[in-house]
Amino acid sequence: MEKRRTSVFENGLIWFGAGVSIAEILTGTYFAPLGFGKGILAILIGHVIGCCMLFFSGMIGGRSRKSAMETVKISFGQKGSLLFAVLNIIQLVGWTAIMIYDGAVAADGIWKTGRLVWCIVIGGLIALWILIGIQNLGKINTVAMTALFVLTIVLSFVIFADGSVGGVSGEGMTFGAAVELSVAMPLSWLPLISDYTREAKSPFKATAVSVIVYGVVSCWMYVIGMGAAIFTGESDIAQILVKAGLGVAGLIIIVFSTVTTTFLDAYSAGVSSETVSAKINGKWFAVGAAVLGTIGAVLFRMDDITDFLYLIGSVFAPMIAIQIADYFILKEDHSGRNVHVQNLVIWVIGFAVYRMLMKVDIIVGNTLPDMAITILICILAEKVKRRS
């Protein structure tokens, strides 16, 4: 029996759900000190850079019909890819905890039952989403996304209707740092987009639609967060919803946006686990990731995720740069090897360069220069090897 493939529309819905995120709204509030015009420019530039990388990453998985961590084997070998699979699982469980925490704090701001209760409710819904499965979400996803679409439009109207500027608090941010913070969110999806594009009927169309939908919606969430801080003087999204009289509707936005985004993190943790060992059941590992994320959200405070975002960038930006160089430029496939030492060394260099560039204020952020340097090193190293 032929395996059911996801449609372009279904992939678009998945990535709409990924974009509608409390974490992205909260990140957007950090842009307020730049002012509305500069803030929007930084958001757009960062998302164009990040989404271009996201597209290339999704295309590798879509064309090869391999999961995100399976595609890493093309550049780093069978055993070499395990490093990134483990790092990916760790960051995905971390994201699961952060998203559940943010959702629970925001939900508790509207309906005060305690963060513990909301963590359990949201974590339970994520586990249910995983058990239903990506191919079977269908109508449930359509209804959830339609509700989120309508409610986020209402939220946007509430924030921007007045047009008066409130007090903007918080430390200033350079334009380059703002661009990098904008790049960081789409970059965080690089290690998992192939988990979904590999299932698509039309890989190119599905990847393009996924990236465009996610990019537009993510920008929208950033602008909502920035606008909330600038026009209402309030960075607590729950309080904005309460003041606007969107109690129940606001609660729906918070809970379901958290579930539809965090489902992707937990699900991909399960897919990545199967790369580490064929004996692992990915679906149940994903449920376990949701449980671990729930426990983490209950036990720890996670109010500032900027350092976490930059760490993800430093790990995965050079990784995908090497993959882009191998797959699209050099046409190399090292999946038959155990470890491709040359590419691992280049990745270490790329990681170090990213961390050094963080100390330099570059107008386009540091992800793009780091990836350009890493790709160039890849090409030069391969040319030297072929001549010798």
Side-chain angles (χ1 to χ4, degrees), residues 56-64 71 74 194 320 323-324 327-328:
F56 287 123
S57 183
M59 277 305 299
I60 296 173
R63 284 182 177 178
S64 63
T71 65
I74 295 172
S194 290
I320 192 60
Q323 287 185 261
I324 289 170
Y327 192 86
F328 293 103

Side-chain angles (χ1 to χ4, degrees), residues 11-27 47 51 54 99 145 148 152 185-186 188-189 210-224 253 256-262 264-265:
N11 278 270
L13 282 181
I14 288 169
W15 288 93
F16 179 91
V20 180
S21 161
I22 296 299
E24 305 216 9
I25 293 174
L26 292 173
T27 304
H47 275 77
C51 287
L54 192 62
M99 296 301 298
M145 293 308 108
L148 287 177
T152 47
M185 203 63 81
S188 71
W189 293 109
S210 297
V211 170
I212 291 169
V213 168
Y214 170 76
V216 170
V217 175
S218 179
C219 285
W220 183 8
M221 295 302 106
Y222 268 67
V223 171
I224 285 175
I253 292 175
F256 278 97
S257 66
T258 303
V259 171
T260 56
T261 303
T262 315
L264 300 181
D265 295 314

Side-chain angles (χ1 to χ4, degrees), residues 221-258:
M221 295 302 106
Y222 268 67
V223 171
I224 285 175
M226 181 178 66
I230 292 174
F231 294 109
T232 71
E234 177 67 73
S235 59
D236 186 340
I237 200 68
Q239 291 309 306
I240 294 169
L241 292 167
V242 169
K243 289 175 183 176
L246 295 175
V248 175
L251 197 63
I252 292 171
I253 292 175
I254 289 167
V255 172
F256 278 97
S257 66
T258 303

Side-chain angles (χ1 to χ4, degrees), residues 77 110 135 359:
I110 293 177
Q135 280 93 2
K359 300 174 183 178

Side-chain angles (χ1 to χ4, degrees), residues 104-297:
V105 169
D108 193 53
I110 293 177
W111 191 356
K112 294 192 179 298
T113 57
R115 178 159 60 92
L116 170 64
V117 172
W118 283 115
C119 283
I120 293 171
V121 168
I122 293 171
L125 285 171
I126 292 165
L128 178 62
W129 236 248
I130 293 165
L131 292 172
I132 292 172
I134 190 171
Q135 280 93 2
N136 300 318
L137 283 171
K139 292 180 180 178
I140 297 174
N141 225 18
T142 303
V143 171
M145 293 308 108
T146 302
L148 287 177
F149 179 68
V150 172
L151 291 173
T152 47
I153 288 175
V154 173
L155 176 59
S156 301
F157 180 78
V158 167
I159 291 171
F160 296 107
D162 186 358
S164 59
V165 179
V168 178
S169 59
E171 294 182 9
M173 176 185 291
T174 66
F175 187 82
V179 169
E180 187 57 30
L181 201 57
S182 182
V183 174
M185 203 63 81
L187 197 69
S188 71
W189 293 109
L190 285 179
L192 58 149
I193 186 172
S194 290
D195 296 344
Y196 308 95
T197 56
R198 67 168 178 162
E199 305 286 356
K201 293 175 187 174
S202 306
F204 177 83
K205 291 179 181 178
T207 303
V209 168
S210 297
V211 170
I212 291 169
V213 168
Y214 170 76
V216 170
V217 175
S218 179
C219 285
W220 183 8
M221 295 302 106
Y222 268 67
V223 171
I224 285 175
M226 181 178 66
I230 292 174
F231 294 109
T232 71
E234 177 67 73
S235 59
D236 186 340
I237 200 68
Q239 291 309 306
I240 294 169
L241 292 167
V242 169
K243 289 175 183 176
L246 295 175
V248 175
L251 197 63
I252 292 171
I253 292 175
I254 289 167
V255 172
F256 278 97
S257 66
T258 303
V259 171
T260 56
T261 303
T262 315
F263 156 76
L264 300 181
D265 295 314
Y267 176 84
S268 281
V271 175
S272 293
S273 72
E274 293 175 338
T275 304
V276 175
S277 174
K279 295 179 181 179
I280 296 175
N281 183 307
K283 177 175 279 192
W284 288 108
F285 191 97
V287 172
V291 172
L292 280 176
T294 303
I295 294 170

